[in-house]
Amino acid sequence: MSKPVIATASLAGCFGCHMSILDIDERILDLIELVEFNKSPIDDIKTFTKMCDVGIIEGGCCNSENVHVLKDFRKNCKILVSLGECAMMGGLPALRNGIPIKECIEEAYLHGPTIEKGNTIVPNDDELPMILDRVYPCHEIVKIDAFIPGCPPRADLIWDALLSLVKGTPMNLEYETVKYD
Ligand code: SF4
């Protein structure tokens, strides 16, 4: 019997949610028995090679590349999951949402404490992704089917959620499993 296929991506996140997936420790061996990974930084597969059962997204959308990747995941995954606060609500990157984009760019490239004195160059190449007016949670760009909270979500919660998703069984949500602060 073919295994359920999982894909993962990190958009505007810090990779902490992916680290938390790896925090399931030795259960990663069970996971490899249970599922097949497709496009993901975990196996370094860069493009989808088949339709996937579950897509897991870390991070929200702060630029045009994030939106492109997220829409590609929606097209290629039957179930799409927002993993962590950044994917669910924008998270830390969304702290810039109250600041005009011009000020953000000037601080990043012209006036920030680590900028070489006198620099007047703001990167502006067609190859660079376009920065969005604000950071968007994933569900404001595409339909999201499930949300796994936390910053990062606990490894036990990710494990339980993955088992439920690939087996189609209900999740047993113990208070300790979903508590995060
Ligand atoms: Fe990093 Fe937290 Fe965002 Fe996950 S939710 S990508 S751990 S900042």
Side-chain angles (χ1 to χ4, degrees):
M1 208 174 72
S2 61
K3 297 176 184 176
V5 185
I6 291 185
T8 78
S10 179
L11 307 180
C14 73
F15 253 89
C17 289
H18 271 77
M19 290 299 112
S20 206
I21 295 175
L22 298 180
D23 253 357
I24 61 174
D25 298 328
E26 71 281 357
R27 285 171 292 185
I28 198 107
L29 299 174
D30 299 330
L31 187 62
I32 289 164
E33 288 299 316
L34 270 175
V35 304
E36 171 190 331
F37 276 91
N38 200 263
K39 178 179 162 77
S40 170
I42 291 172
D43 56 15
D44 210 25
I45 295 179
K46 309 277 190 211
T47 52
F48 285 103
T49 58
K50 59 170 75 168
M51 187 70 186
C52 296
D53 296 289
V54 181
I56 298 174
I57 304 291
E58 165 190 316
C61 291
C62 75
N63 63 36
S64 54
E65 170 70 10
N66 297 152
V67 172
H68 171 76
V69 172
L70 183 58
K71 287 183 173 174
D72 196 34
F73 264 70
R74 181 67 278 179
K75 211 164 31 174
N76 286 283
C77 301
K78 293 176 195 160
I79 298 171
L80 202 54
V81 180
S82 275
L83 177 68
E85 297 308 307
C86 293
M88 286 174 58
M89 295 189 245
L92 285 177
L95 287 177
R96 78 154 161 96
N97 284 359
I99 303 168
I101 191 73
K102 185 169 180 290
E103 270 180 51
C104 291
I105 289 175
E106 286 176 355
E107 180 67 13
Y109 295 109
L110 302 179
H111 309 311
T114 59
I115 301 301
E116 200 175 324
K117 209 171 167 23
N119 178 55
T120 56
I121 298 170
V122 174
N124 182 21
D125 189 284
D126 286 347
E127 297 251 326
L128 294 173
M130 188 67 76
I131 296 176
L132 303 181
D133 60 335
R134 65 182 177 89
V135 177
Y136 292 80
C138 294
H139 66 271
E140 289 189 16
I141 306 289
V142 298
K143 177 176 176 285
I144 296 291
D145 305 297
F147 299 84
I148 304 178
C151 179
R154 293 173 175 211
D156 287 343
L157 178 60
I158 295 173
W159 174 248
D160 289 348
L162 279 176
L163 283 189
S164 296
L165 286 167
V166 298
K167 291 182 170 178
T169 53
M171 256 183 93
N172 181 21
L173 285 171
E174 306 271 349
Y175 174 73
E176 280 307 317
T177 316
V178 292
K179 175 175 172 287
Y180 61 98
D181 48 24

